[in-house]
């Protein structure tokens, strides 16, 4: 079971040298609604696994097991991982938190655009390849128009 969580994390440079690592703080599960969604996901998995048609195929719940509410929250916090389809690290918009504008140009840096999943404000419910193709096509059109190609 997986669910889409709001992650208001950040990525920062640790130094001016290109070889310096970046510092990434995901801030996973910091929004209360995300914890509620994760608990609901565990409960849904339990309902499915305990449904009559599946009873002959299951013996017992292995994980997380019979936990108190606080223990279940601890399990979720420790078991949650972020993988695949990362998006939203270079917000598109006009506010102070935005990185790129509607033409995918990076604010304050000339001749630099971002054209990948990082500009998406929310992850898609499906694979990110289709929206990434659209983003790439939009970037290509913007460059062609700007340079009269």
């Amino acid at each position: 079971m997986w669910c889409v969580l709001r992650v208001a994390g950040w990525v920062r440079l640790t130094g001016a040298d290109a070889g310096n690592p970046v510092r990434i703080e995901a801030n996973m599960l910091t929004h209360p609604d995300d914890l509620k969604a994760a608990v609901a996901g565990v409960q849904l998995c339990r309902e499915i696994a305990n449904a009559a048609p599946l009873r002959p195929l299951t013996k017992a719940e292995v994980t997380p097991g019979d936990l108190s509410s606080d223990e279940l929250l601890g399990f979720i916090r420790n078991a949650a991982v972020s993988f695949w389809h990362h998006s939203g690290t270079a917000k598109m918009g006009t506010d102070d938190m935005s990185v790129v504008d509607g033409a995918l140009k990076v604010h304050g840096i000339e001749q630099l655009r971002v054209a990948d999943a990082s500009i998406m404000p929310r992850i898609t419910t499906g694979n990110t390849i289709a929206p990434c193709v659209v983003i790439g096509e939009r970037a290509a059109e913007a460059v062609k128009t700007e340079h009269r190609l």
Side-chain angles (χ1 to χ4, degrees):
M1 179 69 189
W2 62 273
C3 60
V4 176
L5 305 175
R6 282 173 291 276
V7 179
W10 46 264
V11 177
R12 291 203 175 108
L13 301 176
T14 60
D17 189 303
N20 290 116
V22 294
R23 181 164 179 221
I24 301 170
E25 182 59 53
N27 287 338
M28 289 179 48
L29 300 172
T30 54
H31 194 284
D33 289 346
D34 291 340
L35 271 176
K36 288 178 189 174
V39 169
V42 170
Q43 291 169 338
L44 177 61
C45 288
R46 285 178 168 156
E47 287 177 31
I48 292 169
N50 291 319
L54 293 179
R55 280 193 199 123
L57 305 172
T58 59
K59 292 183 182 184
E61 181 178 318
V62 176
T63 191
D66 187 21
L67 302 176
S68 70
S69 293
D70 287 343
E71 290 171 326
L72 180 59
L73 290 176
F75 167 80
I76 290 169
R77 286 188 184 282
N78 290 324
V81 295
S82 177
F83 62 99
W84 302 343
H85 313 306
H86 296 286
S87 67
T89 59
K91 180 182 176 190
M92 182 190 302
T94 57
D95 64 4
D96 290 342
M97 294 297 294
S98 297
V99 176
V100 300
D101 63 17
L104 307 175
K105 291 182 175 182
V106 175
H107 297 301
I109 301 177
E110 292 185 28
Q111 298 183 355
L112 180 62
R113 295 178 197 259
V114 175
D116 60 21
S118 66
I119 68 155
M120 295 191 292
R122 290 197 178 106
I123 190 170
T124 58
T125 56
N127 195 301
T128 56
I129 188 64
C132 286
V133 168
V134 172
I135 292 165
E137 290 291 330
R138 180 170 165 86
E141 285 299 318
V143 169
K144 284 170 50 178
T145 300
E146 183 175 321
H147 297 282
R148 297 185 180 109
L149 301 173

